[in-house]
Amino acid sequence: MIKRHIATELAELVDTNPAVALLGPRQVGKTTIALELAQNRPSIYLDLESDADRAKLSDPELYLAGHADKLVILDEVHRLPDLFQNLRGLIDRGRREGRKTGRYLLLGSASIDLLKQSGETLAGRIAYLEMQPIDASEVALTSVNDLWVRGGFPDSLLASSDRASLRWRQNFIRTYLERDIPQLGPRIPAETLRRFWTMLAHHQAGLLNAASLARSLGVDGKTIAAYLDLLVDLLLVRRLEPWHANAGKRLVKSPKVYVRDSGLAHALLGIGSLEELLAHPVAGSSFEGFVIETLAAVAPHGSECHFYRTAAGAEIDLLITLPGGKLWAIEIKRSLSPKVEKGFHLACDDLKPARRFVVYPGSERYPLNTETDALSLTALAEDLAALR
């Protein structure tokens, strides 16, 4: 069992809010972590994909009122979106009776409909928490390469072999496209969405060029925007926005796009082992996305992630704005002997970040110059996590 950092934060939110929505892709471990939490308090678990459990909620107010003294865990809650209206009344009634926290834990696949429904009817009553796949700060240093290749979904990472892991991810992608996404609402041909997702994997860490993608798929730009919005809403793709606060420079305005889980990106490209990955042109950009996902996961709550690029060539791969406004500038290199390029120095001269780092695959930490340290992903993740 891999200990997840999010477990402590989830327990704190449940103890301080009437309802908590734990959102994340399927198979990321939401149910496991919720059931672990349930072991420490009176609780009841309902899987809304089960006909028997859905039948119990044919009269939701009557059933849930009978369990007002328990934490009610509702899994796959997007299957019953009308339930939110009932939860609002039950939460308000419980507040008047002195039961103000720890009432409902809602697990969902982060559909836009779920966010909209809960936002409309549970405003001021619900807290949101995003659960990502396992990141590099949650595994041993010796397992980081396995995590990079296989991705952070538990069944993929812990598979008995690279071949079994790749098969699991390929089946996961197929199931998501053919069954899960249609259940969440959009009616998009599975093969079209697979092609789009695969194109994003080929262009991992690249600037979004909607016109080029639209031509390749034979659709218009608005359709590409809708496809991208869907994958972002489902926490499967990250749209990293450019830094925009420096009005004195001509800045790149297009976002960079990443398939968030490196293992899924590799499965879309047919890459099943470390040897195949290192020989593939996507290796450098895949490592960049892998680093960004880990650092975004461990950064203090309220941090913002951007990249910085000017028309003159100044560039920072990842710019983290910490609570309070301090900037950390991070360059990501796949080389064991990383060098800081001129563009990074120019960008730092523009932005004056408080800290400068180069993340590389080695384990030693050492200064590249008086202002910049080279260090491993695990070490930088520990530095960021210490600020939480």
Side-chain angles (χ1 to χ4, degrees), residues 148-343:
W148 177 35
V149 174
R150 298 183 176 190
F153 287 88
D155 288 343
S156 175
L157 177 60
L158 302 176
S160 59
S161 66
D162 284 344
R163 183 177 179 181
S165 172
L166 179 60
R167 187 183 304 117
W168 184 92
R169 282 174 278 139
Q170 289 171 335
N171 289 334
F172 174 88
I173 291 167
R174 180 176 179 179
T175 302
Y176 229 108
L177 292 170
E178 296 179 359
R179 186 179 77 93
D180 294 340
I181 290 178
Q183 282 184 358
L184 294 170
R187 294 293 182 262
I188 300 172
E191 187 55 36
T192 301
L193 196 57
R194 173 188 284 275
R195 288 176 58 204
F196 177 66
W197 204 358
T198 303
M199 287 177 188
L200 296 183
H202 275 289
H203 293 89
Q204 185 84 328
L207 293 176
L208 175 63
N209 187 334
S212 175
L213 292 170
R215 284 195 300 272
S216 299
L217 280 179
V219 298
D220 59 30
K222 290 183 178 179
T223 302
I224 291 296
Y227 290 175
L228 183 60
D229 286 344
L230 172 64
L231 293 177
V232 170
D233 288 336
L234 294 174
L235 307 177
L236 297 171
V237 167
R238 178 179 294 277
R239 187 165 38 203
L240 187 66
E241 299 292 342
W243 176 261
H244 52 77
N246 191 323
K249 300 286 182 178
R250 289 179 57 205
L251 303 179
V252 168
K253 296 181 180 179
S254 296
K256 292 171 79 171
V257 181
Y258 301 83
V259 176
R260 293 184 62 164
D261 182 73
S262 59
L264 292 185
H266 300 155
L268 288 163
L269 299 174
I271 298 170
S273 67
L274 181 61
E275 290 74 18
E276 291 174 6
L277 176 56
L278 294 178
H280 197 283
V282 82
S285 52
S286 170
F287 185 69
E288 180 179 325
F290 176 64
V291 169
I292 288 172
E293 285 306 309
T294 291
L295 298 182
V298 302
H301 182 70
S303 299
E304 295 183 0
C305 295
H306 298 88
F307 74 97
Y308 180 83
R309 185 182 295 181
T310 71
E315 182 174 3
I316 296 172
D317 291 331
L318 178 62
L319 195 64
I320 300 179
T321 308
L322 299 169
K326 284 189 176 180
L327 296 178
W328 280 21
I330 299 157
E331 187 77 354
I332 302 166
K333 298 292 186 185
R334 184 57 208 159
S335 170
L336 285 172
S337 53
K339 297 178 181 179
V340 181
E341 297 173 359
K342 181 180 179 182

Side-chain angles (χ1 to χ4, degrees), residues 64-226:
L64 294 174
H67 297 281
D69 58 338
K70 302 182 181 72
L71 173 67
V72 179
I73 302 170
L74 298 169
D75 204 348
E76 301 300 336
V77 70
H78 56 271
R79 295 294 299 272
L80 287 180
D82 294 337
L83 190 60
F84 292 111
Q85 188 68 38
N86 301 109
L87 294 181
R88 181 175 66 172
L90 290 164
I91 288 171
D92 290 346
R93 187 187 312 163
R95 281 174 165 173
R96 292 191 294 270
E97 296 171 356
R99 293 188 298 272
K100 297 183 178 180
T101 62
R103 301 290 307 283
Y104 302 103
L105 176 55
L106 315 178
L107 311 182
S109 299
S111 72
I112 191 65
D113 290 337
L114 172 62
L115 295 173
K116 183 179 179 182
Q117 287 280 349
S118 58
E120 285 176 352
T121 60
L122 295 181
R125 303 169 182 87
I126 189 168
Y128 297 101
L129 185 60
E130 178 186 321
M131 186 170 184
Q132 301 180 15
I134 295 164
D135 62 62
S137 69
E138 297 173 315
V139 301
L141 185 60
T142 53
S143 300
V144 169
N145 276 339
D146 284 341
L147 178 66
W148 177 35
V149 174
R150 298 183 176 190
F153 287 88
D155 288 343
S156 175
L157 177 60
L158 302 176
S160 59
S161 66
D162 284 344
R163 183 177 179 181
S165 172
L166 179 60
R167 187 183 304 117
W168 184 92
R169 282 174 278 139
Q170 289 171 335
N171 289 334
F172 174 88
I173 291 167
R174 180 176 179 179
T175 302
Y176 229 108
L177 292 170
E178 296 179 359
R179 186 179 77 93
D180 294 340
I181 290 178
Q183 282 184 358
L184 294 170
R187 294 293 182 262
I188 300 172
E191 187 55 36
T192 301
L193 196 57
R194 173 188 284 275
R195 288 176 58 204
F196 177 66
W197 204 358
T198 303
M199 287 177 188
L200 296 183
H202 275 289
H203 293 89
Q204 185 84 328
L207 293 176
L208 175 63
N209 187 334
S212 175
L213 292 170
R215 284 195 300 272
S216 299
L217 280 179
V219 298
D220 59 30
K222 290 183 178 179
T223 302
I224 291 296

